[in-house]
Amino acid sequence: MMCANVGGLLLARAGRRERDTAVRVALGASRTRLLRHALLESMTLGLLGAGGGILLAFLGAPFFARLLPLGTHANTISLVPNLTIALVAFALALILSVVFGAVPAWLTSRAMPQHALRRGASTSRSSRLSRVLLSLQTALTLVLLVEAGLMLRTFSALRHTDPGFDVDHLISFALNPGVTGPGRHSPPDLAEELLQRVQQLPGVRSAGFASAPVMNRIGLKTSVALPGQPFKASAFLNTSLNWVATSFFDTMSMPLLEGRNFTPADAEAKSPAPLPVVANEAFAHTFFAGQDPIGRTFGAGSPGEAAIGDHRIIGVVGDSKYRSLREPLLPIFYAPMQLHGEDQQYLQLYVRTQGAPEAIITAVRNTLAQLDPGLPFSEVITMQQKVSESLWQERMLAVLAAIFSIVSILMATTGLYGLLAYDAAQRTREFGIRIAVGAQRRSIASLLLRDLVRIVLPGAAAGVLFSILFSRLVASALYGVRPTDPLSFGAALIAIGIVTAAAGSPPVWRAVQIDPATILRDE
């Protein structure tokens, strides 16, 4: 479509240079030479465009790399074009330049000197096919603009979503005590000792462990039912869970709404006594709607079994996101974590600081090295970075949609401009005669604008219909915005209006500036 637009621009330029070409032919220039000159011009434009595109690809690679999460682009994805891609791009540019520049070149070489010099030839219009293609291009541009608006609105909604805990001044450290190499084991009291020492570091407000990280797109799940009720297959894995230390809720700034927090004695609770747990609001509303959940019991198990009351709720905390910001507020219960033992395979240490969280990274690492020199942290990241990285797919979609929309706008603008400029150049004699016999210049402008509206209006209408259909297909990728979001559709239609005005203004201005005396003298 872009090549067709460039061909249209070359055609419009050929129309404006018709008289100059006729003079060249009258002075003895061969048609072969004119054809070769026009093709060389289109090939030069194509190669310059390909070179500029390759340069932008190299310059833009670091920008797109920053949109990917840490550790992904460096290992699995290369965004920098290689020599093969560059050569293929140049070859395609050369071929397409010849193909789409052939028609303007051929028309230029077929110029009739006697007609062009006296400007007595009848006016012509652009083909119906080109107008239909531009209407389809307008529809495609509107679809891309609407989808870009929806993606940007989705990304904005996710960025402003409250995760249920305070991400400021919070940093996480991933630890794998069970992976220390053959023949080695971390001390059984490593986690407990590390937590105590970290809490005493200068600048640390609180610290707490969890068995599963938050905002990591993964988490623990189980099936929950009330005592005596069977675990239904339809409710399989209906609840999330996490094993946490007593200081976890304070560190994450998750408010305790009812009951109490864990105590060290809760982590030492033995069977057959029910395991004390803390549930979130969604859990209480799902299983104990309208009732006081404190002291109530439930069971966790597999389908086909009957639940027994082996879990007892001692507190209720506020709802929070677990795996991602996109995830709805699901039922979650938290169990007390034992901080000593040799069976710990994975721990997530969360540290809340008084100042910048990056400032305590070295101190926490040194503390771990003092306890176990051979055990490093597998990941260190602030929660602001973690939340931002969890949105990398949405950010990538929004950026790509915006880039494609900008390219589509440029294509639509050049296409509409090329067609209108060609029509205006072909109708110069007609407009001059109209002005000479008393037509107002605004009526000349309205003639061209009506032609432009006849192209844009059907395309915009088709674009709205296509956008509604396509938006419903991508509804699963949206968040906090409806597929028929009026703001996205309205902004897209306004952009199409701006494109129409930008494309139509130069040809219309040149048409209304025609001097009828010059046209009649040429006649």
Side-chain angles (χ1 to χ4, degrees), residues 266 269-277 296-298 309-313:
D266 292 324
K270 305 295 183 181
S271 301
L275 177 69
V277 299
R296 301 295 297 270
T297 61
F298 63 90
D310 54 357
H311 295 71
R312 179 171 54 86
I313 299 176

Side-chain angles (χ1 to χ4, degrees), residues 365-426:
R365 280 177 169 161
N366 291 338
T367 301
L368 176 61
Q370 294 172 4
L371 297 173
D372 191 342
L375 179 64
F377 289 113
S378 58
E379 181 188 54
V380 179
I381 187 171
T382 66
M383 285 309 299
Q384 285 185 334
Q385 292 174 322
K386 194 72 172 179
V387 171
S388 178
E389 282 194 8
S390 71
L391 300 177
W392 75 271
Q393 290 182 342
E394 290 80 5
R395 186 186 299 108
M396 178 70 79
L397 286 175
V399 170
L400 290 178
I403 291 175
F404 286 136
S405 297
I406 293 173
V407 172
S408 181
I409 286 175
L410 294 176
M411 290 172 60
T413 304
T414 55
L416 292 172
Y417 168 79
L419 182 137
L420 202 63
Y422 176 75
D423 283 351
Q426 293 299 308

Side-chain angles (χ1 to χ4, degrees), residues 11-12 14-15 18 107 119-128 130-131 418-431 448 451:
L11 193 60
E18 184 179 11
L107 292 177
R119 294 189 180 271
S122 59
T123 59
S124 60
R125 304 284 295 278
S126 54
S127 67
R128 180 176 299 178
S130 63
R131 292 168 178 267
L419 182 137
L420 202 63
Y422 176 75
D423 283 351
Q426 293 299 308
R427 300 174 67 182
T428 300
R429 174 174 173 268
E430 173 193 342
F431 294 155
L448 289 174
D451 285 347

Side-chain angles (χ1 to χ4, degrees), residues 25-80:
V25 173
L27 293 177
S30 66
R31 299 189 187 278
T32 302
R33 182 176 181 179
L34 293 175
L35 181 62
R36 186 169 60 249
H37 181 270
L39 286 176
L40 180 62
E41 187 177 56
S42 64
M43 289 171 57
T44 302
L45 291 175
L47 292 177
L48 288 175
I54 295 297
L55 180 61
L56 287 177
F58 276 97
L59 295 178
F63 168 73
F64 285 106
R66 285 195 294 270
L67 299 178
L68 297 174
L70 292 175
T72 298
H73 62 280
N75 299 323
T76 61
I77 300 176
S78 176
L79 299 178
V80 179

